[in-house]
Amino acid sequence: MHSAARTGLHHSLPLGIALGAGSAKGFAHIGVLTELEAVGVRPDLICGTSSGALIAAIYAAGKLDEFEAWTRQLDVPAILRLLDLNFTVSGGMATAQRLIEHFRAEMGDLAIEDLATPFAAIATDLYTGREVWLTRGSLWDAVRASVAVPGLLTPQLVDGRWLVDGGLVNPVPVSLCRALGAEKVIAVNLLADVIGKHIGHGGRERPIEPVEPRDNSLLDAVTTELRSRAGAMVPSWLRGGDTDAPGMMTVVASSLDIMQDRITRSRLAGEPPELLLTPRLAHVSLLEFHRAAEAIDIGRRCVQLSRQSICELLGLPYPQETGPGDGGPGHDGPGNGTPGSGAVRGDASGPPATGTGTGSPPD
């Protein structure tokens, strides 16, 4: 595997960036990566899980600026078209085929091994439960496998295995960065503050922060689309009907949040990065892809508030004037190691974790 271009790098040890799962929250990774470059940080390799795999792939392909411009103008109708809702296929409600074909058309039918920056993604083998490391082959097949949220997107067939969302086994792929040679890892966890935050009284979904009037809920749009295809029973199936019981998508979103939060805590305890960034994204729920601009800006803010820790880790010059320290979105202040901190220095004592978890790289 060839090394990444080192233009702009100030550190001497191989640096990996691990981008975590988070569905619509994943747009925050764009802001994180853009702001890291503004500081002078470019990774030697980049790994991602689920939406983190998508952003990592686009970064490795050198198309992040174009992708950011595209995401900032996404609206609900466009997202519905790209998701390809389809009740005639098995394994999920949508195929996202148009989305993947869009990436192929705009960025090329790329192979992972040909990227300028080494890249790898995490997926889960649906039948064995094993963690799968996608380190070569079709870039977009790897991304499609890693983002296959169970019940929402259909599984992806890769090398004879049906693969689903990598967040089921390794939501923040620090271990994969280590295995690929990173001696320092900056990780981004999008799920540190999400448990129960988007669930209102009686189990109903609610945003923590108000959404602009034009930003209709994607869940509402999905419900309307399904109503037109499957009759009036679908909205109650999705949203919980006329009772206070949670709807299906609320159950799916909250269950994934709980599971991935617990897995992330466990894995980061055993495989700590040198630096952990946690943008504040509890108010962006599973399908709110139309809030990309907001999530991107929160990612930028997280890095800005964590700049001193980043500079100390990588030996970069740090300006005397410091940024705001009010504990706003993305930062509680460094140092306590608890989930939810804006920047947390990992325990760097002892050898780095280089194990494969429950899986191993593909042959």
Side-chain angles (χ1 to χ4, degrees):
M1 184 174 289
H2 54 277
S3 62
R6 300 185 63 86
T7 304
L9 288 173
H10 297 277
H11 54 86
S12 58
L13 296 176
L15 172 68
I17 292 182
L19 302 182
S23 297
K25 298 175 180 65
F27 288 123
H29 291 312
I30 299 173
V32 167
L33 292 170
T34 302
E35 197 63 27
L36 284 174
E37 287 213 344
V39 174
V41 178
R42 295 192 183 115
D44 297 283
L45 59 96
I46 189 166
C47 300
T49 297
S50 195
S51 58
L54 170 61
I55 307 304
I58 290 169
Y59 180 88
K63 300 292 186 178
L64 193 65
D65 289 343
E66 297 91 330
F67 181 67
E68 178 178 353
W70 180 72
T71 60
R72 284 182 177 272
Q73 51 82 39
L74 281 177
D75 57 17
V76 170
I79 296 165
L80 282 175
R81 288 193 298 271
L82 292 169
L83 283 177
D84 277 333
L85 290 172
N86 191 342
F87 272 166
T88 67
V89 297
S90 61
M93 295 193 299
T95 64
Q97 188 63 32
R98 290 181 185 174
L99 179 65
I100 297 302
E101 290 308 317
H102 170 81
F103 292 143
R104 283 198 170 101
E106 294 297 320
M107 304 182 198
D109 193 9
L110 304 172
I112 293 173
E113 52 267 38
D114 294 334
L115 297 172
T117 301
F119 160 86
I122 298 280
T124 305
D125 188 309
L126 182 61
Y127 291 108
T128 68
R130 297 190 66 181
E131 179 177 339
V132 178
W133 294 358
L134 300 169
T135 59
R136 61 187 182 186
S138 168
L139 178 66
W140 304 120
D141 284 353
V143 167
R144 177 59 180 82
S146 190
V147 303
V149 178
L152 178 61
L153 295 184
T154 55
Q156 177 73 16
L157 186 64
V158 177
D159 294 335
R161 291 182 289 190
W162 287 106
L163 303 181
V164 293
D165 198 314
L168 299 176
V169 290
N170 194 352
V172 184
V174 175
S175 58
L176 182 52
C177 284
R178 300 282 192 207
L180 295 182
E183 296 189 35
K184 292 184 177 181
V185 177
I186 296 175
V188 187
N189 177 17
L190 305 178
L191 303 171
D193 66 335
V194 299
I195 299 301
K197 295 296 182 65
H198 63 284
I199 305 300
H201 178 68
R204 300 293 184 157
E205 291 201 34
R206 60 170 177 81
I208 294 297
E209 297 179 0
V211 183
E212 293 297 321
R214 64 178 180 82
D215 289 336
N216 298 319
S217 167
L218 183 57
L219 179 55
D220 289 338
V222 170
T223 299
T224 300
E225 180 74 9
L226 294 178
R227 181 192 295 119
S228 70
R229 300 188 186 195
M233 52 77 66
V234 170
S236 60
W237 173 57
L238 284 170
R239 300 298 296 269
D242 297 328
T243 72
D244 283 338
M248 187 197 75
M249 293 307 297
T250 299
V251 172
V252 169
S254 296
S255 298
L256 287 171
D257 285 346
I258 293 167
M259 176 194 68
Q260 292 183 350
D261 175 69
R262 298 299 183 263
I263 295 171
T264 299
R265 289 170 185 257
S266 176
R267 295 207 62 151
L268 290 181
E271 305 160 346
E274 278 64 44
L275 193 72
L276 179 62
L277 304 175
T278 57
R280 299 301 196 194
L281 294 156
H283 56 288
V284 179
S285 62
L286 180 73
L287 294 178
E288 292 189 312
F289 297 105
H290 55 293
R291 300 180 73 171
E294 180 183 355
I296 292 168
D297 293 342
I298 290 171
R300 284 180 178 271
R301 176 69 169 162
C302 178
V303 173
Q304 291 167 359
L305 291 168
S306 307
R307 184 168 181 176
Q308 183 172 358
S309 295
I310 295 167
C311 291
E312 289 175 355
L313 174 67
L314 301 178
L316 298 170
Y318 181 69
Q320 293 300 313
E321 59 277 14
T322 59
D326 58 0
H331 188 71
D332 283 338
N336 61 10
T338 58
S341 300
V344 180
R345 290 295 294 271
D347 179 6
S349 61
T354 57
T356 61
T358 59
S360 59
D363 296 331

